[in-house]
Amino acid sequence: MAEIDEKLIADNDERRHFHGAYTRSTRSVLAAAKAGQFVDADWTERWGIAFAQLYMNAFDAWEENGNPPGPWQVAFEASRDPDITPLHHSLLGINAHINYDLPQAHLAVISSEDFTDDSLIARRAADHDQVDAILVARVKQEDKLMELVEEPGDRTRLDRLLLPFNR
């Protein structure tokens, strides 16, 4: 992911906005796992790998033949549009990854039998909540990094009004 990040930045590729944020967020989750912040760090790691692999598969499909899954097609095609702001590029990537990839990643690491075990599901939910907390803690820093690459006027009035809710 770091190599791709460097290439996207060097190429001034608009996909760099989501990719960079995702790379930094992934590093934060891995650091939390190493620090023992999860109920089941091994499971969380498997989940994170399955989740990241779905994004990387879409990225590779776009690079190879321009034909990733539909939500990623929308996000990656938008990277060619100079009128879309860095924030909106990031949001398109977040939308594809959360709404399309996340359910698939869950199904890859939670078996049908697991869904019948309430205590196991509670542990998985606790780890999911911990990942959410890590991501929420990153929002302010990611927003500041986004501001560094935005042009004056990139944020609409609605973007500015919703900022406190985002944080």
Side-chain angles (χ1 to χ4, degrees), residues 18 27 34 44 59 67 69 86 107 122 140 150 153 160:
F18 169 76
R27 286 184 186 135
K34 289 179 182 176
T44 304
F59 186 92
N67 194 26
L107 292 173
K140 190 172 185 176
E150 290 176 327
R160 291 188 303 278

Side-chain angles (χ1 to χ4, degrees), residues 16 30 46 50 68 72 75 86 98 104 111 121:
R16 73 188 184 277
L30 289 173
R46 286 193 312 276
W72 285 111
I98 298 298
Q104 295 177 77
S111 71
I121 293 301

Side-chain angles (χ1 to χ4, degrees), residues 59-73:
F59 186 92
D60 290 344
W62 176 259
E63 291 291 300
E64 291 168 13
N65 59 29
N67 194 26
W72 285 111
Q73 184 81 28

Side-chain angles (χ1 to χ4, degrees), residues 9-65:
I9 290 168
D11 293 347
N12 205 32
D13 188 313
E14 296 298 331
R15 294 176 296 166
R16 73 188 184 277
H17 305 297
F18 169 76
H19 188 89
Y22 185 56
T23 300
R24 290 184 294 274
S25 297
T26 300
R27 286 184 186 135
S28 294
V29 171
L30 289 173
K34 289 179 182 176
Q37 295 179 13
F38 293 101
V39 175
D40 187 342
D42 291 337
W43 176 82
T44 304
E45 183 177 350
R46 286 193 312 276
W47 171 38
I49 290 168
F51 192 33
Q53 192 60 57
L54 291 163
Y55 164 60
M56 294 309 304
N57 290 347
F59 186 92
D60 290 344
W62 176 259
E63 291 291 300
E64 291 168 13
N65 59 29

Side-chain angles (χ1 to χ4, degrees), residues 29-156:
V29 171
L30 289 173
K34 289 179 182 176
Q37 295 179 13
F38 293 101
V39 175
D40 187 342
D42 291 337
W43 176 82
T44 304
E45 183 177 350
R46 286 193 312 276
W47 171 38
I49 290 168
F51 192 33
Q53 192 60 57
L54 291 163
Y55 164 60
M56 294 309 304
N57 290 347
F59 186 92
D60 290 344
W62 176 259
E63 291 291 300
E64 291 168 13
N65 59 29
N67 194 26
W72 285 111
Q73 184 81 28
V74 172
F76 294 152
E77 282 180 359
S79 70
R80 296 175 173 163
D81 185 341
D83 295 328
I84 296 179
T85 68
L87 174 63
H88 295 129
H89 283 295
S90 291
L91 292 173
L92 285 166
I94 290 167
N95 178 64
H97 200 43
I98 298 298
N99 293 317
Y100 183 73
D101 294 341
L102 184 59
Q104 295 177 77
H106 280 139
L107 292 173
V109 296
I110 303 175
S111 71
S112 296
E113 296 80 34
D114 290 347
F115 282 107
T116 64
D117 184 338
D118 291 340
S119 65
L120 179 65
I121 293 301
R123 293 192 304 274
R124 301 298 184 245
D127 286 338
H128 195 286
D129 290 346
Q130 180 61 23
V131 170
D132 286 348
I134 292 164
L135 298 178
V136 166
R138 292 208 45 75
V139 169
K140 190 172 185 176
Q141 181 181 4
E142 290 300 328
D143 190 52
K144 287 181 180 191
L145 291 169
M146 185 66 60
E147 288 175 348
L148 295 174
V149 297
E150 290 176 327
E151 298 292 328
D154 274 355
R155 298 238 178 154
T156 66

